[in-house]
CSV table of all heavy atoms in Angstrom, one decimal:
chain,number,residue,atom,x,y,z
A,1,MET,N,0.8,-1.2,0.0
A,1,MET,CA,0.0,0.0,0.0
A,1,MET,C,0.9,1.3,0.0
A,1,MET,O,1.7,1.4,0.8
A,1,MET,CB,-0.9,0.0,1.2
A,1,MET,CG,-1.9,1.1,1.2
A,1,MET,SD,-3.0,0.9,2.7
A,1,MET,CE,-3.7,2.6,2.7
A,2,THR,N,0.7,2.1,-1.0
A,2,THR,CA,1.5,3.4,-1.1
A,2,THR,C,0.4,4.5,-1.1
A,2,THR,O,-0.7,4.4,-1.5
A,2,THR,CB,2.4,3.4,-2.3
A,2,THR,OG1,1.6,3.4,-3.4
A,2,THR,CG2,3.4,2.3,-2.2
A,3,GLU,N,0.9,5.7,-0.8
A,3,GLU,CA,0.1,6.9,-1.0
A,3,GLU,C,1.1,8.0,-1.2
A,3,GLU,O,2.3,8.0,-1.0
A,3,GLU,CB,-0.7,7.2,0.2
A,3,GLU,CG,0.0,7.6,1.4
A,3,GLU,CD,-1.0,7.9,2.7
A,3,GLU,OE1,-1.7,9.0,2.5
A,3,GLU,OE2,-1.0,7.2,3.6
A,4,ILE,N,0.5,9.2,-1.7
A,4,ILE,CA,1.3,10.5,-1.9
A,4,ILE,C,1.1,11.4,-0.7
A,4,ILE,O,-0.1,11.6,-0.3
A,4,ILE,CB,0.8,11.2,-3.2
A,4,ILE,CG1,1.1,10.2,-4.4
A,4,ILE,CG2,1.7,12.5,-3.4
A,4,ILE,CD1,2.5,9.8,-4.7
A,5,VAL,N,2.2,11.9,-0.2
A,5,VAL,CA,2.1,12.8,0.9
A,5,VAL,C,2.7,14.1,0.5
A,5,VAL,O,3.9,14.1,-0.1
A,5,VAL,CB,2.8,12.2,2.2
A,5,VAL,CG1,2.8,13.2,3.4
A,5,VAL,CG2,2.2,11.0,2.6
A,6,THR,N,2.2,15.3,0.9
A,6,THR,CA,2.7,16.5,0.5
A,6,THR,C,2.9,17.4,1.7
A,6,THR,O,2.2,17.2,2.7
A,6,THR,CB,2.0,17.3,-0.6
A,6,THR,OG1,0.6,17.6,0.0
A,6,THR,CG2,1.8,16.5,-1.8
A,7,GLY,N,3.8,18.4,1.6
A,7,GLY,CA,3.9,19.3,2.8
A,7,GLY,C,5.0,20.3,2.5
A,7,GLY,O,5.6,20.4,1.4
A,8,ILE,N,5.4,21.0,3.6
A,8,ILE,CA,6.4,22.0,3.6
A,8,ILE,C,7.4,21.8,4.6
A,8,ILE,O,7.0,21.3,5.8
A,8,ILE,CB,5.8,23.4,3.7
A,8,ILE,CG1,4.9,23.8,2.6
A,8,ILE,CG2,6.9,24.5,3.9
A,8,ILE,CD1,4.1,25.1,2.8
A,9,VAL,N,8.7,21.9,4.4
A,9,VAL,CA,9.7,21.7,5.4
A,9,VAL,C,10.7,22.9,5.4
A,9,VAL,O,10.9,23.5,4.3
A,9,VAL,CB,10.5,20.3,5.1
A,9,VAL,CG1,11.2,20.4,3.8
A,9,VAL,CG2,11.5,20.0,6.2
A,10,ILE,N,11.2,23.3,6.5
A,10,ILE,CA,12.0,24.4,6.7
A,10,ILE,C,13.4,23.8,6.9
A,10,ILE,O,13.6,23.0,7.8
A,10,ILE,CB,11.7,25.3,7.8
A,10,ILE,CG1,10.2,25.8,7.7
A,10,ILE,CG2,12.7,26.5,8.0
A,10,ILE,CD1,9.9,26.7,6.6
A,11,ALA,N,14.5,24.2,6.1
A,11,ALA,CA,15.8,23.7,6.3
A,11,ALA,C,16.8,24.7,5.6
A,11,ALA,O,16.4,25.5,4.8
A,11,ALA,CB,15.9,22.3,5.6
A,12,ALA,N,18.1,24.5,5.9
A,12,ALA,CA,19.1,25.3,5.3
A,12,ALA,C,19.5,24.9,4.0
A,12,ALA,O,19.9,25.7,3.2
A,12,ALA,CB,20.3,25.4,6.3
A,13,THR,N,19.4,23.6,3.7
A,13,THR,CA,19.9,23.1,2.4
A,13,THR,C,18.9,22.1,2.0
A,13,THR,O,18.1,21.5,2.7
A,13,THR,CB,21.3,22.3,2.6
A,13,THR,OG1,21.2,21.3,3.4
A,13,THR,CG2,22.4,23.4,3.1
A,14,ARG,N,19.0,21.7,0.6
A,14,ARG,CA,18.1,20.6,0.1
A,14,ARG,C,18.4,19.3,0.8
A,14,ARG,O,17.5,18.6,1.1
A,14,ARG,CB,18.3,20.5,-1.4
A,14,ARG,CG,17.9,21.7,-2.1
A,14,ARG,CD,18.2,21.6,-3.7
A,14,ARG,NE,17.2,20.7,-4.3
A,14,ARG,CZ,15.9,21.0,-4.6
A,14,ARG,NH1,15.5,22.2,-4.4
A,14,ARG,NH2,15.1,20.1,-5.2
A,15,ARG,N,19.7,19.0,1.1
A,15,ARG,CA,20.1,17.7,1.7
A,15,ARG,C,19.3,17.7,3.1
A,15,ARG,O,18.9,16.6,3.5
A,15,ARG,CB,21.6,17.7,1.8
A,15,ARG,CG,22.0,16.4,2.4
A,15,ARG,CD,23.5,16.4,2.4
A,15,ARG,NE,24.0,15.1,2.9
A,15,ARG,CZ,25.1,14.6,2.7
A,15,ARG,NH1,26.1,15.3,2.1
A,15,ARG,NH2,25.5,13.4,3.2
A,16,GLU,N,19.5,18.8,3.9
A,16,GLU,CA,18.8,18.8,5.2
A,16,GLU,C,17.4,18.6,5.1
A,16,GLU,O,16.7,17.9,5.8
A,16,GLU,CB,19.2,20.0,5.9
A,16,GLU,CG,18.6,20.1,7.3
A,16,GLU,CD,18.9,21.5,8.0
A,16,GLU,OE1,19.5,22.3,7.4
A,16,GLU,OE2,18.4,21.6,9.1
A,17,ALA,N,16.8,19.2,4.0
A,17,ALA,CA,15.3,19.1,3.9
A,17,ALA,C,14.9,17.6,3.6
A,17,ALA,O,14.0,17.1,4.2
A,17,ALA,CB,14.8,20.1,2.7
A,18,LEU,N,15.7,16.9,2.7
A,18,LEU,CA,15.4,15.6,2.5
A,18,LEU,C,15.5,14.7,3.7
A,18,LEU,O,14.7,13.8,4.0
A,18,LEU,CB,16.4,15.0,1.4
A,18,LEU,CG,16.0,15.5,0.0
A,18,LEU,CD1,17.2,15.1,-1.0
A,18,LEU,CD2,14.7,14.8,-0.5
A,19,GLN,N,16.6,14.9,4.6
A,19,GLN,CA,16.8,14.2,5.8
A,19,GLN,C,15.6,14.5,6.7
A,19,GLN,O,15.1,13.6,7.3
A,19,GLN,CB,18.0,14.6,6.4
A,19,GLN,CG,19.3,14.2,5.6
A,19,GLN,CD,20.6,14.7,6.2
A,19,GLN,OE1,20.6,15.7,6.9
A,19,GLN,NE2,21.7,14.0,5.8
A,20,ARG,N,15.1,15.7,6.8
A,20,ARG,CA,14.1,16.0,7.8
A,20,ARG,C,12.7,15.4,7.3
A,20,ARG,O,12.0,14.8,8.1
A,20,ARG,CB,13.9,17.5,7.9
A,20,ARG,CG,14.9,18.2,8.7
A,20,ARG,CD,14.7,19.7,8.9
A,20,ARG,NE,15.7,20.2,9.6
A,20,ARG,CZ,15.6,21.3,10.3
A,20,ARG,NH1,14.5,22.0,10.2
A,20,ARG,NH2,16.6,21.8,11.0
A,21,VAL,N,12.5,15.4,6.0
A,21,VAL,CA,11.2,14.8,5.5
A,21,VAL,C,11.3,13.3,5.8
A,21,VAL,O,10.3,12.7,6.2
A,21,VAL,CB,11.1,15.1,4.0
A,21,VAL,CG1,10.0,14.2,3.4
A,21,VAL,CG2,10.8,16.6,3.7
A,22,GLY,N,12.4,12.6,5.4
A,22,GLY,CA,12.5,11.2,5.6
A,22,GLY,C,12.4,10.8,7.1
A,22,GLY,O,11.6,9.9,7.4
A,23,SER,N,13.0,11.5,7.9
A,23,SER,CA,12.8,11.3,9.4
A,23,SER,C,11.4,11.4,10.0
A,23,SER,O,10.9,10.6,10.7
A,23,SER,CB,13.8,12.2,10.2
A,23,SER,OG,15.1,11.9,9.9
A,24,ALA,N,10.8,12.5,9.5
A,24,ALA,CA,9.4,12.7,10.0
A,24,ALA,C,8.5,11.7,9.5
A,24,ALA,O,7.5,11.3,10.1
A,24,ALA,CB,8.9,14.1,9.4
A,25,LEU,N,8.6,11.3,8.2
A,25,LEU,CA,7.7,10.2,7.7
A,25,LEU,C,8.0,8.9,8.3
A,25,LEU,O,7.0,8.3,8.7
A,25,LEU,CB,8.0,10.1,6.1
A,25,LEU,CG,7.6,11.3,5.3
A,25,LEU,CD1,8.0,11.2,3.8
A,25,LEU,CD2,6.1,11.5,5.3
A,26,ARG,N,9.2,8.5,8.5
A,26,ARG,CA,9.5,7.2,9.2
A,26,ARG,C,8.9,7.3,10.7
A,26,ARG,O,8.5,6.2,11.1
A,26,ARG,CB,11.0,7.0,9.2
A,26,ARG,CG,11.6,6.6,7.9
A,26,ARG,CD,13.0,6.2,7.9
A,26,ARG,NE,13.5,6.1,6.6
A,26,ARG,CZ,14.1,7.1,5.9
A,26,ARG,NH1,14.3,8.2,6.6
A,26,ARG,NH2,14.5,7.0,4.8
A,27,ALA,N,8.9,8.4,11.3
A,27,ALA,CA,8.3,8.6,12.7
A,27,ALA,C,6.9,8.2,12.7
A,27,ALA,O,6.3,7.9,13.7
A,27,ALA,CB,8.7,9.9,13.2
A,28,ARG,N,6.2,8.4,11.5
A,28,ARG,CA,4.8,8.2,11.4
A,28,ARG,C,4.5,6.8,10.8
A,28,ARG,O,3.4,6.5,10.5
A,28,ARG,CB,4.2,9.3,10.5
A,28,ARG,CG,4.2,10.6,11.2
A,28,ARG,CD,3.3,11.6,10.4
A,28,ARG,NE,3.8,11.9,9.2
A,28,ARG,CZ,3.1,12.6,8.1
A,28,ARG,NH1,2.0,13.0,8.4
A,28,ARG,NH2,3.7,12.8,7.0
A,29,GLY,N,5.5,6.0,10.7
A,29,GLY,CA,5.4,4.6,10.2
A,29,GLY,C,5.3,4.6,8.8
A,29,GLY,O,4.7,3.6,8.2
A,30,LEU,N,5.8,5.6,8.0
A,30,LEU,CA,5.8,5.6,6.6
A,30,LEU,C,7.2,5.5,6.0
A,30,LEU,O,8.1,6.1,6.6
A,30,LEU,CB,5.1,6.9,6.0
A,30,LEU,CG,3.7,7.2,6.6
A,30,LEU,CD1,3.3,8.6,6.2
A,30,LEU,CD2,2.8,6.2,6.0
A,31,GLU,N,7.4,4.7,5.0
A,31,GLU,CA,8.7,4.6,4.4
A,31,GLU,C,8.8,5.5,3.1
A,31,GLU,O,8.0,5.1,2.1
A,31,GLU,CB,9.1,3.2,4.1
A,31,GLU,CG,10.5,3.0,3.7
A,31,GLU,CD,11.6,3.4,4.6
A,31,GLU,OE1,11.5,3.4,5.8
A,31,GLU,OE2,12.6,3.9,4.1
A,32,PRO,N,9.7,6.5,3.0
A,32,PRO,CA,9.7,7.2,1.8
A,32,PRO,C,10.3,6.4,0.5
A,32,PRO,O,11.3,5.8,0.8
A,32,PRO,CB,10.5,8.4,2.1
A,32,PRO,CG,11.2,8.1,3.4
A,32,PRO,CD,10.5,7.0,4.0
A,33,LEU,N,9.5,6.3,-0.5
A,33,LEU,CA,10.0,5.6,-1.7
A,33,LEU,C,10.6,6.6,-2.7
A,33,LEU,O,11.6,6.3,-3.3
A,33,LEU,CB,8.9,4.8,-2.4
A,33,LEU,CG,8.2,3.9,-1.4
A,33,LEU,CD1,7.0,3.2,-2.2
A,33,LEU,CD2,9.1,2.7,-1.0
A,34,ASP,N,10.0,7.8,-2.8
A,34,ASP,CA,10.5,8.9,-3.7
A,34,ASP,C,10.1,10.1,-3.1
A,34,ASP,O,8.9,10.4,-2.8
A,34,ASP,CB,9.8,8.6,-5.1
A,34,ASP,CG,10.3,9.6,-6.1
A,34,ASP,OD1,11.6,9.8,-6.1
A,34,ASP,OD2,9.5,10.2,-6.9
A,35,VAL,N,11.1,11.0,-3.0
A,35,VAL,CA,10.7,12.4,-2.5
A,35,VAL,C,11.2,13.4,-3.5
A,35,VAL,O,12.3,13.3,-4.0
A,35,VAL,CB,11.5,12.6,-1.1
A,35,VAL,CG1,11.2,14.1,-0.6
A,35,VAL,CG2,11.0,11.7,-0.2
A,36,THR,N,10.3,14.4,-3.8
A,36,THR,CA,10.6,15.5,-4.7
A,36,THR,C,10.6,16.8,-3.9
A,36,THR,O,9.5,17.0,-3.2
A,36,THR,CB,9.6,15.6,-5.9
A,36,THR,OG1,9.6,14.3,-6.6
A,36,THR,CG2,10.0,16.6,-6.9
A,37,LEU,N,11.6,17.7,-4.1
A,37,LEU,CA,11.6,19.0,-3.4
A,37,LEU,C,11.6,20.0,-4.4
A,37,LEU,O,12.1,19.9,-5.5
A,37,LEU,CB,12.9,19.2,-2.5
A,37,LEU,CG,13.1,18.3,-1.3
A,37,LEU,CD1,14.5,18.6,-0.8
A,37,LEU,CD2,12.1,18.6,-0.3
A,38,SER,N,10.9,21.1,-4.1
A,38,SER,CA,11.0,22.4,-4.9
A,38,SER,C,11.0,23.6,-3.9
A,38,SER,O,10.4,23.4,-2.8
A,38,SER,CB,9.9,22.4,-5.8
A,38,SER,OG,8.6,22.4,-5.2
């Protein structure tokens, strides 16, 4: 079972943003398969 999740993250760099998104999703029991940032 997969789904699309969207949101906003505050970070100093794109790398930090990806790390924060991944950590937050895993904390909710979700495993990120593909993350796109803009």
Side-chain angles (χ1 to χ4, degrees):
M1 186 175 163
T2 64
E3 71 177 289
I4 302 298
V5 178
T6 61
I8 297 173
V9 62
I10 306 294
T13 64
R14 293 179 75 79
R15 182 177 186 165
E16 181 185 356
L18 284 171
Q19 290 172 341
R20 286 184 180 204
V21 169
S23 295
L25 293 172
R26 286 186 195 93
R28 293 192 291 167
L30 303 171
E31 185 60 36
L33 303 174
D34 183 45
V35 178
T36 304
L37 289 176
S38 60

